[in-house]
Amino acid sequence: MQGVVRGEAGEVPADVMAQLWLSCFLLPALVVSALGVPTVAANVPPKFLANMTAVILPEDLPVGAQAFWLVAEDQDNDILTYGMSGSNAYFFSVTPHTGEVKLASPLDYETLYIFQVTISVSDGSSQNRKEMQVIVEDRNDNAPVFQNTAFSTSIDEPCGKDRGTLSPCMAQLRTLKLRGAVMDEGEEELDLSSQVTGPSLQTLPVGSMVFSVLAEDKDMGSAGVVVYNIEKVIPSTGDSEHLFWILANGSIVLNGSLSYNNKSAFYQLELKACDMGGMFNNSFIVQCSVPVFLSISVVDQPDLDPQFVREYYSASVAEDAAKGTSVLKVEAVDGDKGINDPVIYSISSSTQPSWFDIGADGVIRVNGSLDREELLEEDEEVQLQVMATETHLNIYGQEAKVSTWVTVRVMDVNDHIPEFYNCSLPACTFTPEEAQVNFTGYVDEHASPHIPIDDLTMVVYDPDKAGVGSNGTFLLSLGGPDAEAFSVSPERAAGSATVQVLVRASELVDYERQTVMMVQVMATDSVSQNFSIAMVTIHLRDINDHRPTFPQSLYDLTVPEHSVTGYVVTSSIHATDPDTGTWGQITYSLLPGNGADLFQVDPVSGTVTVRNGKLLDRESQAVYYLTLQAMDGGNLSSTTTLQIHLLDINDNAPVVSGSYNIFVQEEEDNVSVTIQAQDNDEPGTNNSRLLFSLLPGPYNHNFSLDPDTGLLRNLGPLDREAIDPALGGRIVLTVLVSDCGVPVLSTKVNVTITVEDINDNLPIFNQSSYNFTVKEEDPGVLVGVVKAWDADQTEANNRISFSLSGSGANNFMIRGLVLGAGWAEGYLWLPPDVSLDFETQSVFSLTVSAENPDPQGGETTVYVHVNVEDVNDNPPTLDGASLRGVRVAENGSQHGQVAVVVASDVDTKAQLEIQLVNILCTKAMVDVGSLCWGWFSVVANGSVYINQSKAIDYEACDLVTLVVRACDLTTDAGFQAYSNNGSLLITIEDVNDNAPYFLPEDKTFVIIPELVLPNREVASVRARDDDSGNNGVILFSILQVEFISKDGATIPFQGFWISTSSEANVFTGSIQPVTSLDSTLQGTYQVMVQARDRPSVGPSLETNTTLNLFTVDQSYRVRLQFSTPREEVGANRQEINAALTQATRTTVYIVDIQDIDSAARAQAKSYLDAYFVFPNGTALTLDELSVIIRSDQDSLTQLLRLGLVVLGAQKSQESDPLNQLISVIIGLGVALLLVLVIMTTAFVCVRKSYNRKLRAMKAAKEARKTAAGVMPSAPAIPGTNMYNTERANPMLNFPNKDLGLEYLSSSSDLDYVR
């Protein structure tokens, strides 16, 4: 671009610089050349190059980097100084003498993408200024930014997802209004509104938009184009990875089906927005936003059938179980976890229909007598099909139900003992023919332990049903003479079992000791302890378990030289083999070697003879060593060495006379004996000269033998204990008496020296101390064995006895056992009635003494430490402090751990686990069943957690009792593993979550204004609040009162107030007028009443209702006249009210009861004014009342009995007081004028009047005698006292006889009472 300096690298282009310098050199020459004359020029100011008008810089140029150069030219070639000024000059720093411009403050395209600076240049005399435009070039230095980071929405799961139906639900989209969205060209802009009143419920088909987000990037071009990505979907399962996808405009679209129960009820999408990349710091990079998260909640719909919590149910029950016995409990829950509709249980099918029934709690109980024998063909089982049906219909209008099969096994009782059978399972039929008590088996001698006896087909069978308690369970044990050598397997079984007799002690199974062994197998019923016994005869099979053995490993033999062939060298060397048969047949042979060709051996007798006597030459070889082998029939062999010496010929050997047996006491007596011998060879020759010598022996070093005289002496005191005990104190010295002939002949003589024992040694233990271990709670067991040895060799001196002492020695006993050869063992036992307790004493230090019976003998002691091994025999205990009650607020107010149950166990190896035994749910101390069972859980370490926080409902259950116990998992058999049960009380605290509600009323409120007094109740409402405490206290208020007249006009009214009272959690609002009401108004009062609770914490809740109070004006007031006085009418008021109510079916409001003035008619003495009001607010008029009463004969008869004579309206029966007064005055005037006439005719009228009165009384009497049921058909004249055309009274409707009482029809018959 011409005229613009680009400063990315901070350099001026080379061609510009070349032109600048070229201009500086050529300009003076051109001027002079043009003028043609020499000129002296004035100072010319410097000027910037033409392109110093604008510069383009990237916004990511680092501070301190070279931006561009200021370049100016000066014709005078003066030194130039550059500068920069202006409001934006702070972005740069200028080197004055070079014009180099560096960036001093960072640039930002988004803040200021173009600005101007003033550049200047001076040559010292003049200065030139110029405006330079700086254009900032955009770089990708901004990441997209979401306009909001808190996104959430809710979606109904598709209603028809499992039925293939179309979802009937309407979907709404919750969106956010995000400004600055970049829309693709031609794309319609979405209307995104941020004014959302709350989360919406959506049910969207695949492909529908779920949500919209928007991010903006301040950069331009591709660096400002935003691309949206879903980085992660939580939960991150295979089907949720691609469940949602996002469009280029930020709209998130559903890409798969949802399921609240089968997939997830909540999804969280991690969203990220990235630009399309751009240059930044000389590199192409892509900028991405900080991730944001969209929370999507799936709302459950009732579209799944219930599910049983277990796939299969089975239980067992004894066949003698009583009716009503609980067998097992099934439980089904609504498949729609978010709805959890209650479930109703029923048995839809059963193989035994009358045996079982099921309750509402899912517990199957016995409903009839059970008989196991009826179920033998059904494997003793009853199959029940249990149906679980949800209370409400599903979204398709159908019953949601599921069934499962329950197997109930009927258990037997124990009434048989085990017996033995000669058969093999499973082919056994257990018939009497198979029963047997004698069995035979075979086994090799010395068979390894646990090897079973061959050919033994023994089965034990108990007909009782195994698995029901201990029925059918039996114990197997061995007895008999050889029981120690064998064991039985199994030791415990149930039902039937194959019995094996196993080798236990291989060393006792020895054919050489006995060929037949006998054991008894005992089968004992574990319940009744009855038993059966079978005898097993075991034949031992001999094996080749011994190899031939020679008594000696070396034999020293001699043979005269030049012996004849067949000369017997030895016939006394024999090998022995205890095996029998072929295994015990021995074959002798000489192994190849030196001399094997000169001698031979008989393979059967073992006799060694000379094979070739001519080759026996002593001068060639004096001694031969032969290897004699003995091999049995099993190819087992052993060898011995034959050392054969060749002797010179000397045919007379020395002869020893007498025998030599010497007895001496050890340590005291000496030996001195001379060997007497003679040689029959010629005396004086070497063959008769005798030499005495001792042959080698183990005790030769204790003696000396004179070679010439044969005198034998001991060299020192003799010690009996130094002699091999097997010799019994006898030392046998072999004296060789030889001649000096050629060959020398010799004779051996044994000198037996018996060294008598004395008690000169103390017992010695084979250990310096002993450590034994014994389990606690195990009486009568062997603790350990000590062993001692007395060197004395006679039983009288080496017999050892043991004694016991030390702390706690009374808990033990020791028994000695003499082993022989001075050895003895002391068996340390626990007495049968003594057992040790690790927790009381864990170590015993005892002293065991070993002593001889000789009173003068001493004793030796050794320390014995007995360690008591802890047996897990103590049950754990619960820490009472950890069972203190806790309080938990309802409706999701608390989560996580609420308590920790702690247990302890004194045993050392205890492994404790806290177990939940039962859950009790109560409301106001009343059991509410299993309602709270899922609210809490107890884990093995004792932690108590809230499982279903939102399900906790104080109104349903205010106290949850968790019955727990501690279990020691390592408790040894036979001991209690469980602690006593403990109860953790969890009190549910109320939260104000229930609004008050009005109780239904079945009555209508009617106001009779003339009866209503201020502050008297005219209507009432009742309400309840299921919360407790202050949360359940209700206060009533009147929000609005309007009077609606009969013509429809509405008039506001302020004349009522309401008071609040309560009883038994029911609050009553009494509506009362403030002032007297206008009795002339005709219409309805509409009263809007509000019930509001008064919580201690949080906002209050309220409910409104509207009451209609109907008014009855005075036009409906009706008067009834009675022939009885007021007092009697008042006394009969209740009966009169009841009769009127029965006849009219209205509510009777009695206004007043008064006596009638005596001047009026004599037949009515009192009157009663009343209103007759229906529940809808309407009232009876006089005419209507007259018709209704006449139609009810029972009520009419009752009213007549109570004195009713006349019905009339108040208006017709009351006279205006003023009119009465005027009438009286006029009457008095007329009376004065007519007094004479009256007096004149008085006498005449007296008699006539008396007759009329008499007839009137008879007429009244006749009317009372008339039957009540006679009803003429002629109509009455309601509201008057006029007779109808049939001369009947309109009130009583009775036929009337014409008694000549015409004046009675006058209106003057009515009595007026003020």
Side-chain angles (χ1 to χ4, degrees), residues 18 111-112 131 205 209 304 306 318 369 375 385 437 521 626 635 700 722 743 757 798 862 1015 1018 1056 1084 1088 1170 1258:
T111 303
L112 187 63
E131 294 296 325
M209 185 171 66
L304 295 179
S369 59
L375 304 175
Q385 187 178 30
V437 295
V521 180
L626 303 178
N635 295 327
N700 285 4
D757 186 43
N798 64 15
V862 69
N1015 300 323
V1018 297
F1056 292 100
T1084 302
M1088 182 179 293
K1258 290 180 179 180

Side-chain angles (χ1 to χ4, degrees), residues 1094-1112:
R1094 306 172 66 185
S1096 302
V1097 178
S1100 61
L1101 303 175
E1102 69 270 353
T1103 304
N1104 300 334
T1105 188
T1106 300
L1107 298 180
N1108 290 319
L1109 310 183
F1110 301 97
T1111 62
V1112 179

Side-chain angles (χ1 to χ4, degrees), residues 877-886 898-904 914 941-944 962 964 982-986:
T877 58
L878 292 173
D879 185 2
S882 68
L883 294 175
R884 293 174 182 170
V886 298
V898 295
V900 177
V901 180
V902 179
S904 59
I914 303 300
N941 64 0
S943 297
V944 181
L962 302 182
V964 297
S983 296
L984 176 63
L985 304 181
I986 302 178

Side-chain angles (χ1 to χ4, degrees), residues 767-903:
Q767 293 180 209
S768 60
S769 64
Y770 294 86
N771 287 283
F772 300 129
T773 300
V774 64
K775 290 185 177 180
E776 68 173 336
E777 303 295 337
D778 197 0
V781 299
L782 176 65
V783 178
V785 179
V786 298
K787 194 172 185 179
W789 174 67
D790 193 322
D792 295 321
Q793 293 192 357
T794 58
E795 185 176 357
N797 294 326
N798 64 15
R799 186 177 183 87
I800 299 173
S801 62
F802 297 92
S803 61
L804 189 63
S805 63
S807 176
N810 57 338
N811 293 308
F812 302 85
M813 62 181 182
I814 191 167
R815 297 173 182 171
L817 176 63
V818 177
L819 302 178
W823 287 96
E825 289 179 341
Y827 290 84
L828 187 62
W829 293 82
L830 285 177
D833 58 344
V834 174
S835 62
L836 304 181
D837 186 7
F838 175 85
E839 288 72 22
T840 302
Q841 184 172 352
S842 61
V843 178
F844 292 86
S845 296
L846 308 175
T847 301
V848 176
S849 300
E851 57 187 4
N852 295 125
D854 185 1
Q856 284 72 34
E859 66 178 13
T860 303
T861 61
V862 69
Y863 289 104
V864 176
H865 300 280
V866 179
N867 299 300
V868 181
E869 182 180 347
D870 188 19
V871 173
N872 203 340
D873 59 336
N874 292 287
T877 58
L878 292 173
D879 185 2
S882 68
L883 294 175
R884 293 174 182 170
V886 298
R887 306 182 75 87
V888 175
E890 65 171 343
N891 287 350
S893 301
Q894 290 182 235
H895 301 83
Q897 179 176 304
V898 295
V900 177
V901 180
V902 179

Side-chain angles (χ1 to χ4, degrees), residues 331-506:
E331 183 178 0
V333 296
D334 189 354
D336 300 298
K337 301 176 183 176
I339 297 176
N340 197 19
D341 196 11
V343 174
I344 301 172
Y345 300 95
S346 61
I347 296 177
S348 59
S349 179
S350 173
T351 56
Q352 296 292 336
S354 61
W355 284 16
F356 301 97
D357 63 1
I358 188 168
D361 55 355
V363 176
I364 297 176
R365 295 178 174 86
V366 176
N367 192 40
S369 59
L370 308 181
D371 187 4
R372 170 181 166 270
E373 284 65 30
E374 293 184 17
L375 304 175
L376 296 179
E377 295 183 358
E378 290 83 13
D379 197 20
E380 304 175 6
E381 294 177 347
V382 177
Q383 301 294 330
L384 307 174
Q385 187 178 30
V386 177
M387 183 75 69
T389 307
E390 293 182 14
T391 305
H392 302 94
L393 300 180
N394 60 18
I395 61 173
Y396 311 104
Q398 302 171 352
E399 285 188 343
K401 55 187 178 181
V402 69
S403 64
T404 187
W405 284 99
V406 177
T407 300
V408 179
R409 179 174 292 274
V410 180
M411 305 304 294
D412 196 14
V413 295
N414 186 37
D415 57 352
H416 295 83
I417 63 172
E419 293 182 328
F420 294 90
Y421 295 85
N422 186 11
C423 61
S424 298
L425 293 176
C428 294
T429 59
F430 304 114
T431 59
E433 291 77 17
E434 292 180 345
Q436 190 169 325
V437 295
N438 293 306
F439 296 83
T440 302
Y442 300 86
V443 69
D444 293 336
E445 67 170 333
H446 299 306
S448 300
H450 307 298
I451 295 297
I453 303 304
D454 297 335
D455 299 330
L456 179 63
T457 55
M458 176 186 289
V459 172
V460 177
Y461 172 64
D462 190 336
D464 292 326
K465 182 65 178 179
V468 181
S470 297
N471 289 0
T473 303
F474 48 86
L475 306 177
L476 294 173
S477 59
L478 281 186
D482 300 311
E484 293 182 358
F486 300 90
S487 64
V488 65
S489 175
E491 295 182 352
R492 182 185 181 93
S496 61
T498 299
V499 180
Q500 289 184 324
V501 178
L502 310 176
V503 174
R504 179 182 180 187
S506 300

Side-chain angles (χ1 to χ4, degrees), residues 919-920 932 935-936 957-962 984-986 988:
I919 302 176
L920 303 178
C932 66
W935 293 0
F936 301 92
C957 172
D958 60 4
L959 180 63
V960 179
T961 303
L962 302 182
L984 176 63
L985 304 181
I986 302 178
I988 307 302

